[in-house]
Amino acid sequence: MSTKLSGPGSTRTPGRGPVGPGLPRTARTARHHAPVTATGLAVKVVLLGLVAGIAIWAAFPLVEAEKWVGLALLAATTAGLFYLYLTPRHIPAKYLVPGTLFLIAFQVFPVLYTASTAFTNFGDGHRGSKDDAIVAIQSSSVQQVPGSTEYALSVATAGDPATGALVFLVTDPATGVVSAGDADGLRRLDPADVTVGSGGKVTAADGYTVLNFGQASARSQEITDLVVPTAGGALRSSGLSRAYEGRAIRAYDAGCDCVTDSESGKRWTADEKTGSFVAADGERLAQGWQVNVGLENFSRVLTDPNISGPFFGTLLWNFAFAIGSTGFTFLLGMAIALALHSPRMRGTNLYRVLLILPYAMPSFAMLLVWRDMFNTDFGLVNNLFGLGVDWFGEAWSARTAVLLVQLWLGYPYMFLVATGALQAIPKELTEATSVDGASPWQSFRAVTLPLLLVALSPLLIASFAYNFNNINAIWLTTEGGPFPADNPRNGATDLLITYTYRLAFGAQGAEFGTAAAVSIFIFAIVATVSAISFRNTRKQEEVYS
């Protein structure tokens, strides 16, 4: 039984939809799915094999660290990818999933990791677990005592002699056993893999590069600092050719959850809130552990005078820098675009090539050039105009110099986008205003500028967000300076991003938790400003659409 449809020769079979006369289901299916070629099949096999290889490679460290949730997530993701690409279904998902995975890996995960770090005390001295801190405390207190066993020492690396991780190759004087030691402990080596010279000193070992005297001397401080944990204490170097197994004078007592110095009798008790061992007089041991501190980092940013004062002052300058960099470059770029858009101009192509030269040059190199041009003694700016301004020595002159550099670097981009937007504006609109008796300025203000802003507002918002975090513009010119005498951590031209960088990697030690909290503030500020600006842009588009 069939029902005639409007199309000639088309029929409808109950429960099966419209089909061509006599067209079997297999033919209809083939019509909608292109045949898989040998090349396509080979590419699919290679890519899925690569996915499987990456999954296996990532599974081993997860199993070793006993991260079962991560392992389950890895297995589920891998199985899902295989199911998706080995079946002919879910065609849209085949295109959406790769982009989604990259978005999660390179955008969502870093943001979530930064946010999680902001709630911890992660930083120098607080990088690992409590057990790691205890081992570090005991190992660093190792001292040579009467009767300490001494070993013949060779210093080696498993990689580059200048930068590779150091390894102690030691020979037991009693048994002749050769072991390799690092911060993770001692590992016995197969006698067939090592060559031992006179005095028990290792001269060669498979998998290691033995350093000569000059190479070892260049890394003498690292050799001195290396401590190799052992069952009876720890190994430390005594010069470049001998090592001793010393005794730790500081020991951890689980009963009191404290560390005691056997020589002085001083005791440091564990403080779980701060992840540190603290003595009765307030002294903290340098080695601590990572703990969750809640909102403490955010509270420090807002209430600690050493951070909140520089933070709010830097925030005001940050807004001024981002608005000034975006606004000035837009005004100059638009003015030049308007001038070259005039039909009375000649040689516009040559002018355009010359004007975009700054845009074609590497910005980091030009920032360094401009830094030298603003030099007080031999800089081109002072010599050309007969000035004696200490551009980077005073707060406002340094800020002015930075904005001028940004103006030179940024106006070509605004010139290009404004030129494209002007060419998209119909000439009939401006001609109509002229017919109505409007002056060129009135025509520009009533027609050209609003239409330009409608087209360029998203780009201006993106430029503002970029300049708000433009670390290169500051770091390569002023490095955040000049700095006041009472605060070497925050300079007059510092942006929040450079201030955060100095918090995380400054000479006072890394404070990743605090830096992550400041990063969250930066993210919230930029996101809020961008959301408000985009909402106003949509309203403007509705007016002029």
Side-chain angles (χ1 to χ4, degrees):
M1 177 178 177
S2 61
T3 304
K4 193 73 173 177
L5 297 179
S6 57
S10 179
T11 62
R12 179 182 296 274
T13 301
R16 298 185 63 179
V19 297
L23 185 63
R25 179 176 295 275
T26 55
R28 290 186 290 109
T29 303
R31 184 176 61 185
H32 293 289
H33 298 283
V36 179
T37 64
T39 303
L41 181 60
V43 171
K44 181 183 291 188
V45 170
V46 170
L47 292 178
L48 289 178
L50 182 62
V51 169
I54 293 174
I56 295 172
W57 169 77
F60 283 104
L62 290 174
V63 172
E64 184 178 355
E66 298 183 355
K67 302 291 186 181
W68 308 121
V69 175
L71 183 64
L73 183 61
L74 175 66
T77 302
T78 305
L81 288 174
F82 270 78
Y83 167 76
L84 177 63
Y85 289 100
L86 290 177
T87 61
R89 303 178 181 179
H90 314 295
I91 300 300
K94 295 180 190 292
Y95 296 94
L96 293 175
V97 165
T100 303
L101 290 178
F102 278 106
L103 176 66
I104 293 173
F106 296 106
Q107 292 291 337
V108 177
F109 177 76
V111 170
L112 293 179
Y113 182 77
T114 301
S116 64
T117 303
F119 294 94
T120 69
N121 65 340
F122 183 45
D124 280 351
H126 300 275
R127 294 174 180 264
S129 65
K130 186 176 181 179
D131 291 339
D132 295 333
I134 292 171
V135 171
I137 291 170
Q138 294 179 154
S139 300
S140 63
S141 68
V142 169
Q143 292 184 359
Q144 190 170 11
V145 296
S148 294
T149 305
E150 290 195 357
Y151 300 83
L153 169 68
S154 295
V155 182
T157 70
D160 182 40
T163 60
L166 293 176
V167 177
F168 284 173
L169 301 178
V170 295
T171 305
D172 191 315
T175 63
V177 172
V178 178
S179 302
D182 54 22
D184 295 327
L186 281 175
R187 300 176 300 280
R188 183 171 179 173
L189 299 181
D190 190 330
D193 295 335
V194 297
T195 302
V196 181
S198 60
K201 189 176 177 66
V202 176
T203 57
D206 288 352
Y208 298 100
T209 301
V210 178
L211 304 187
N212 58 37
F213 181 80
Q215 293 169 332
S217 297
R219 305 184 65 178
S220 59
Q221 187 59 49
E222 296 177 68
I223 295 172
T224 302
D225 293 339
L226 179 58
V227 179
V228 180
T230 64
L235 278 178
R236 302 196 73 165
S237 65
S238 177
L240 300 178
S241 60
R242 306 295 294 175
Y244 64 89
E245 184 175 16
R247 181 176 61 85
I249 63 172
R250 291 179 179 176
Y252 174 74
D253 185 353
C256 63
D257 196 15
C258 63
V259 172
T260 304
D261 191 306
S262 59
E263 291 187 348
S264 65
K266 193 169 185 176
R267 176 179 296 180
W268 294 265
T269 305
D271 183 354
E272 297 294 344
K273 292 184 178 180
T274 61
S276 303
F277 288 100
V278 186
D281 59 2
E283 179 189 1
R284 296 175 184 268
L285 293 180
Q287 298 91 345
W289 61 97
Q290 185 175 338
V291 295
N292 192 322
V293 296
L295 298 175
E296 181 181 332
N297 290 324
F298 297 92
S299 176
R300 284 185 61 201
V301 173
L302 298 175
T303 60
D304 187 345
N306 295 325
I307 298 179
S308 62
F311 177 83
F312 288 109
T314 301
L315 177 61
L316 291 176
W317 159 243
N318 208 147
F319 269 106
F321 172 81
I323 295 173
S325 297
T326 305
F328 292 151
T329 55
F330 171 67
L331 291 176
L332 180 58
M334 180 184 63
I336 297 174
L338 286 170
L340 296 183
H341 189 66
S342 173
R344 292 176 294 179
M345 284 291 296
R346 296 292 182 269
T348 55
N349 290 335
L350 176 61
Y351 288 129
R352 286 169 179 161
V353 171
L354 296 176
L355 288 170
I356 64 172
L357 282 178
Y359 189 61
M361 296 180 180
S363 60
F364 75 92
M366 299 313 301
L367 287 168
L368 296 176
V369 170
W370 273 100
R371 183 183 65 182
D372 290 339
M373 290 173 63
F374 277 109
N375 185 276
T376 304
D377 300 320
F378 57 81
L380 177 64
V381 175
N382 277 354
N383 291 335
L384 184 63
F385 296 101
L387 303 175
V389 179
D390 184 7
W391 289 100
F392 297 145
E394 300 293 335
W396 287 105
S397 59
R399 291 170 177 172
T400 302
V402 168
L403 287 174
L404 288 175
V405 173
Q406 280 298 100
L407 178 63
W408 188 84
L409 288 174
Y411 85 86
Y413 170 73
M414 293 299 179
F415 162 71
L416 288 174
V417 296
T419 298
L422 284 172
Q423 293 175 350
I425 298 176
K427 294 182 179 180
E428 292 80 4
L429 295 178
T430 55
E431 292 174 353
T433 58
S434 300
V435 172
D436 291 339
S439 65
W441 166 249
Q442 291 173 327
S443 176
F444 168 76
R445 187 179 61 181
V447 176
T448 306
L449 182 59
L451 293 176
L452 276 177
L453 292 178
V454 169
L456 301 183
S457 289
L459 297 176
L460 293 176
I461 296 170
S463 180
F464 170 85
Y466 172 79
N467 284 313
F468 200 89
N469 291 306
N470 193 349
I471 187 172
N472 287 344
I474 301 299
W475 203 260
L476 295 178
T477 51
T478 65
E479 296 184 357
F483 295 90
D486 59 343
N487 187 4
R489 301 181 70 175
N490 181 252
T493 58
D494 260 329
L495 304 180
L496 288 179
I497 188 66
T498 57
Y499 179 49
T500 303
Y501 180 84
R502 197 173 288 109
L503 279 178
F505 305 104
Q508 291 82 0
E511 299 179 31
F512 296 110
T514 305
V518 178
S519 299
I520 296 299
F521 279 110
I522 296 174
F523 174 80
I525 292 168
V526 174
T528 302
V529 172
S530 299
I532 295 173
S533 301
F534 276 119
R535 185 177 63 180
N536 293 334
T537 299
R538 284 195 297 269
K539 292 179 179 179
Q540 194 176 27
E541 290 175 352
E542 293 173 359
V543 172
Y544 290 94
S545 60

